């Protein structure tokens, strides 16, 4: 067992790592002013971005849920790793050799790093076996669907040989233990002992958003294979099917850039879309499309402005229509506009590309139908519109759908369109829509037909995914510096502390020492000031956020984190130094003015006959005024 990592190495790895690069692998970050970035929080569901990152400071803070910390904290929270594992991962990323207090080496037996290594080794094994004679059936399967060797290589598709323990023996030869292989989901345990989970199947590697292989999806090929059509890695410490989206690692850059994501229903559909030029396609892995998937997508989309697009593709059959209706049940979780794309003849993207070429796949996405229009038409299709009873029932079904349209500019148009489809008076339909909008909504009710079934994902019907409706609860909002009083004095104290924590080098040690001697009117901000003063009084007077956090009482750590990442007023780099010096100078000037007021009061109360005391106070006043003028640059 290795000892503690040397603190100097921990600090060095953090100093060499840009926290924005690590956070940016999970969250689409945008500039929020000089030295500040903002995105949707990965730790709670939100519609407007409140997650702030300050790369120069090396910290993040969410003003919505209160989560904050440095790059190590972020990895621990996102990937459920220990502190040591977080340091080792980042060290490996930059090629830095860590040293341990007992002189030992990192021990990663059985931890996340070992599971990732086992999955990567398995992926390489499967790819190598795709060219073997016994994999001819797998190559034929790919070829019949329009995928050549280059396409297979691009997506890492491989073949699991029809063998009891070929993979097990290979990985044990690479130094992995049976316990590690079981923990990674690569082997199963039966009456005859350990055996390969995937046998005689075509295999797709499932990667997380950073591109690391965390699991596999395997397609049945052989007639004597009695297992499910699609078999996936079980839940493991690194593979959580409710949070993983196939293809997101290769699609995330274009999703973030174009603010569009195309949700398809299987691994081959993702491949077909990307090869056809639709490079924002993703799919679920062995489960229906749920709330956790939406959270992941919203972070990558930067889904806060409402300008993005989410395009769902479904089969044209009844199951596909049911999936679309369930998708509508979660549509409100996106700020982006949602659409449905159903190909002619009900072909999925893979079959469409095979039958009509790449252009047809691109056209499928470009000719998408707004989600609301699709749902309205699907609702009406269930009724006989030739009868009065049928039209009334159809209106009752579709009116709540129109009432749910978020954009008030679109609602009147859809109301008119619904009236046209039904052949009813516009006023009657408008009244039904207004009545539906006024009715209190039951939790989870979107006015869509209920359905007790689910549309299975890979592992049950050929790699198809769907939407499952689950509830989400908003987190309790923690204390935020935005809740501070908005009077000029408190604003000055807050802004000065932000400057001191974020740009201490630009302010300089002399101004910092004067600033921490200033009196504060706000008690919470005064505690942060005391923490900075304590750090400045130490031998190494460099202000570091983690040191200030250690100095203040635990309940005030969040205030420090917020001040450390909150954007300063947007200014150019050239203006920044002048601003931070100016705001700290204003704090000191306020303190000098207070001292001047106290001296003037004492002077008025002093008997002029006491010439010694009177003279001392007058000299002190002159010195204060001289200091104020120097501070102001007069």
């Amino acid at each position: 067992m290795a000892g503690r990592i040397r603190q100097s190495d921990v600090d060095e790895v953090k100093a060499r790592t840009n926290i924005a690069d690590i956070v940016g692998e999970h969250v689409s970050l945008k500039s929020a002013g000089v030295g500040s970035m903002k995105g949707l929080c990965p730790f709670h569901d939100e519609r407007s971005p409140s997650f702030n990152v300050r790369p120069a400071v090396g910290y993040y803070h969410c003003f919505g849920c209160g989560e904050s910390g440095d790059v190590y904290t972020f990895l621990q929270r996102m990937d459920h790793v220990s502190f040591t594992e977080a340091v080792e991962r980042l060290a490996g990323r930059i090629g830095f050799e860590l040293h341990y207090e007992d002189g030992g080496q990192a021990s990663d037996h059985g931890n996340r790093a070992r599971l990732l290594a086992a999955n990567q080794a398995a992926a390489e094994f499967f790819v190598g076996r795709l060219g073997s004679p016994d994999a001819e059936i797998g190559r034929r399967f790919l070829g019949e669907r329009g995928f050549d060797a280059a396409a297979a290589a691009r997506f890492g598709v491989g073949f699991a040989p029809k063998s009891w323990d070929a993979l097990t023996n290979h990985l044990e030869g690479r130094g992995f233990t049976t316990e590690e292989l079981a923990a990674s989901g690569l082997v199963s345990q039966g009456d005859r002992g350990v055996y390969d989970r995937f046998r005689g199947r075509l295999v797709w590697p499932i990667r997380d958003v950073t591109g690391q292989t965390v699991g596999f999806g395997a397609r049945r090929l052989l007639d004597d294979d009695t297992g499910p059509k699609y078999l996936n890695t079980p839940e493991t410490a690194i593979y959580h099917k409710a949070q993983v989206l196939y293809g997101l690692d290769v699609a995330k850059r274009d999703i973030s850039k174009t603010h569009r994501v195309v949700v398809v229903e299987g691994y081959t559909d993702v491949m077909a879309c990307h090869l056809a030029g639709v490079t924002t396609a993703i799919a679920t892995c062995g489960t229906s499309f749920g709330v956790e998937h939406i959270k992941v997508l919203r972070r990558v989309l930067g889904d806060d402005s409402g300008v993005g697009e989410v395009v769902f593709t479904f089969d044209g059959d009844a199951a596909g229509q049911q999936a679309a209706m369930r998708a509508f049940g979660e549509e409100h979780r996106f700020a982006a506009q949602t659409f449905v794309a159903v190909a002619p003849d009900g072909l999925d993207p893979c079959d469409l590309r095979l039958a009509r070429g790449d252009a047809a796949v691109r056209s499928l996405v470009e000719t998408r139908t707004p989600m609301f229009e699709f749902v309205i038409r699907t609702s009406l299709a269930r009724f006989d519109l030739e009868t009065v009873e049928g039209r009334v029932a159809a209106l009752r079904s579709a009116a709540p759908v129109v009432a749910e349209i978020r954009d008030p500019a679109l609602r009147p148009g859809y109301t008119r369109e619904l009236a046209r489809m039904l052949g009813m008076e516009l006023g009657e339909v408008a009244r039904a829509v207004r009545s539906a909008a006024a009715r209190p909504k039951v939790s989870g009710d979107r006015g869509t037909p209920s359905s007790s079934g689910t549309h299975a994902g890979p592992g049950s019907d050929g790699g198809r995914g769907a939407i499952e409706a689950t509830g989400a609860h908003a987190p309790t909002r923690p204390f935020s510096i935005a809740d501070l009083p908005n009077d000029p004095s408190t604003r000055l104290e807050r802004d000065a502390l932000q400057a001191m924590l974020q740009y201490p080098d630009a302010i300089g040690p002399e101004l910092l020492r004067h600033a921490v001697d200033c009196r504060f009117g706000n008690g919470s901000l005064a505690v942060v000031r005391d923490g900075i003063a304590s750090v400045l009084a130490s031998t190494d007077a460099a202000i570091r956020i983690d040191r200030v956090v250690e100095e203040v009482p635990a309940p005030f750590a969040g205030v420090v984190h917020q001040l450390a990442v909150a954007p300063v007023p947007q200014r150019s780099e050239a203006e920044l130094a002048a601003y931070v010096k100016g705001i700290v100078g204003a704090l000191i000037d306020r303190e000098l003015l207070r001292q001047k007021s106290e001296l003037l009061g004492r002077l008025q109360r002093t008997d002029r006959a006491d010439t010694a005391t009177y003279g001392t106070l007058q000299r002190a006043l002159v010195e204060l005024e001289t200091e104020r003028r120097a501070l102001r640059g007069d």
Side-chain angles (χ1 to χ4, degrees), residues 136-160:
E136 193 277 330
I137 187 174
R139 296 192 296 272
R140 185 168 66 250
F141 176 93
L142 291 171
E144 290 172 350
R145 283 155 181 76
F147 304 123
D148 57 15
R154 176 175 173 178
F155 290 91
V157 183
F159 180 76

Side-chain angles (χ1 to χ4, degrees), residues 295-333:
K295 291 179 181 179
V296 172
L297 275 186
R298 292 194 67 232
R299 294 195 297 266
V300 178
L301 268 172
D303 183 37
D304 59 279
S305 62
V307 300
E309 292 185 3
V310 181
V311 183
F312 295 94
T313 68
F314 299 107
D315 291 346
D317 57 14
Q321 289 191 359
Q322 289 178 4
M325 299 301 280
R326 282 190 292 273
F328 177 66
E330 298 298 335
E331 183 272 345
H332 66 290
R333 296 185 183 277

Side-chain angles (χ1 to χ4, degrees), residues 52-336:
N52 288 258
V53 179
R54 299 285 295 187
V57 180
Y59 268 77
Y60 67 87
H61 180 83
C62 176
F63 288 90
C65 68
E67 284 289 340
S68 59
D70 59 11
V71 67
Y72 297 136
T73 313
F74 184 82
L75 283 181
Q76 287 178 270
R77 288 282 286 109
M78 282 301 299
D79 295 336
H80 308 287
V81 298
S82 67
F83 175 78
T84 298
E85 288 173 317
V87 178
E88 290 173 348
R89 285 180 62 185
L90 290 179
R93 183 186 178 104
I94 64 175
F96 183 88
E97 183 180 355
L98 294 172
H99 302 85
Y100 297 79
E101 290 183 350
D102 65 354
Q105 298 296 314
S107 175
D108 57 2
H109 174 79
N111 66 13
R112 178 184 175 89
R114 290 293 290 175
L115 301 188
L116 289 169
N119 274 278
Q120 182 57 36
E124 294 168 358
F125 172 81
F126 293 141
V127 168
R129 292 302 295 260
L130 185 60
S132 63
D134 61 333
E136 193 277 330
I137 187 174
R139 296 192 296 272
R140 185 168 66 250
F141 176 93
L142 291 171
E144 290 172 350
R145 283 155 181 76
F147 304 123
D148 57 15
R154 176 175 173 178
F155 290 91
V157 183
F159 180 76
K162 186 182 180 183
S163 168
W164 185 258
D165 54 7
L167 177 64
T168 302
N169 292 335
H170 173 77
L171 294 180
E172 287 181 344
R174 296 278 299 271
F176 294 98
T177 66
T178 301
E179 291 76 16
E180 289 171 338
L181 299 183
S184 63
L186 293 169
V187 301
S188 299
Q189 182 78 40
D191 296 337
R192 295 169 54 189
V194 173
Y195 60 93
D196 294 351
R197 178 176 178 83
F198 307 112
R199 304 185 308 281
R201 288 175 174 253
L202 205 59
V203 179
W204 282 263
I206 299 171
R207 303 181 179 111
D208 64 14
V209 71
T210 67
Q212 299 183 101
T213 300
V214 295
F216 298 91
R219 209 278 188 188
R220 186 181 63 209
L221 299 173
L222 303 171
D223 293 337
D224 60 353
D225 187 340
T226 59
K229 190 172 184 179
Y230 275 82
L231 180 66
N232 289 78
T233 295
E235 291 285 310
T236 70
I238 61 173
Y239 177 74
H240 306 286
K241 62 184 179 181
Q243 301 172 0
V244 177
L245 289 163
Y246 178 73
L248 186 59
D249 58 309
V250 294
K252 65 178 181 181
R253 187 177 301 277
D254 284 348
I255 291 174
S256 178
K257 182 169 63 176
T258 64
H259 299 289
R260 173 191 281 180
V261 62
V262 178
V263 183
V264 299
E265 299 187 313
Y267 306 128
T268 57
D269 291 333
V270 172
M271 293 176 66
C273 283
H274 281 259
L275 293 172
V278 182
T279 56
T280 59
I282 54 90
T284 58
C285 306
T287 186
S288 49
F289 193 95
V291 173
E292 292 302 315
H293 295 123
I294 293 174
K295 291 179 181 179
V296 172
L297 275 186
R298 292 194 67 232
R299 294 195 297 266
V300 178
L301 268 172
D303 183 37
D304 59 279
S305 62
V307 300
E309 292 185 3
V310 181
V311 183
F312 295 94
T313 68
F314 299 107
D315 291 346
D317 57 14
Q321 289 191 359
Q322 289 178 4
M325 299 301 280
R326 282 190 292 273
F328 177 66
E330 298 298 335
E331 183 272 345
H332 66 290
R333 296 185 183 277
F334 288 105

Side-chain angles (χ1 to χ4, degrees), residues 5-19:
I5 303 172
R6 293 180 187 173
Q7 185 60 45
S8 59
D9 285 0
V10 172
D11 295 340
E12 184 66 21
V13 170
K14 183 161 70 171
R16 294 192 191 186
T17 301
N18 185 344
I19 189 173

Side-chain angles (χ1 to χ4, degrees), residues 344-537:
D345 304 323
L347 299 174
D348 59 38
C350 181
D351 291 337
L352 181 64
R353 175 175 179 263
L354 195 61
R356 305 185 184 181
D358 292 347
V361 178
R362 295 192 295 270
S363 177
L364 168 66
V365 176
E366 295 304 325
T367 57
R368 63 211 178 278
T369 300
M371 174 73 81
F372 283 101
E373 179 180 335
F374 181 88
V375 172
I376 290 170
R377 292 185 182 278
T378 302
S379 297
L380 298 185
R382 299 184 299 113
F383 301 95
D384 181 4
L385 302 184
E386 297 301 319
T387 67
V388 173
E389 292 80 5
R391 289 193 294 273
V392 170
L395 176 60
R396 289 172 178 166
S397 175
V401 177
V402 178
E404 285 287 334
I405 297 176
R406 295 192 303 269
D407 189 341
L410 294 176
R411 206 174 300 129
Y414 274 103
T415 301
R416 287 191 296 271
E417 183 66 12
L418 178 58
R420 185 193 64 77
M421 294 178 184
L422 291 171
M424 301 176 71
E425 292 293 331
L426 176 60
E428 183 179 359
V429 174
R431 285 192 297 273
V433 171
R434 287 195 299 270
S435 177
R439 283 198 297 268
K441 296 177 179 58
V442 180
S443 177
D445 179 22
R446 295 299 310 279
T448 58
S450 62
S451 173
S452 60
T454 56
H455 189 45
S460 58
D461 77 336
R464 306 293 179 231
I467 303 290
E468 63 182 12
T470 57
H473 299 283
T476 302
R477 189 170 180 270
F479 170 80
S480 169
I481 58 174
D483 299 326
L484 290 168
N486 198 34
D487 61 278
S489 184
T490 305
R491 287 202 308 270
L492 174 62
E493 293 171 3
R494 178 199 64 199
D495 294 347
L497 287 176
Q498 282 181 221
M500 293 160 68
L501 288 167
Q502 296 180 25
Y503 300 102
D505 294 339
I507 296 169
E510 184 176 354
L511 281 180
L512 287 173
R513 284 194 294 271
H514 281 294
V516 295
D517 287 335
C518 296
R519 296 186 189 181
F520 274 53
N522 183 274
S524 295
L525 298 180
V527 173
V528 179
R529 174 210 58 196
D530 293 342
I532 296 174
S534 180
V535 171
L536 286 173

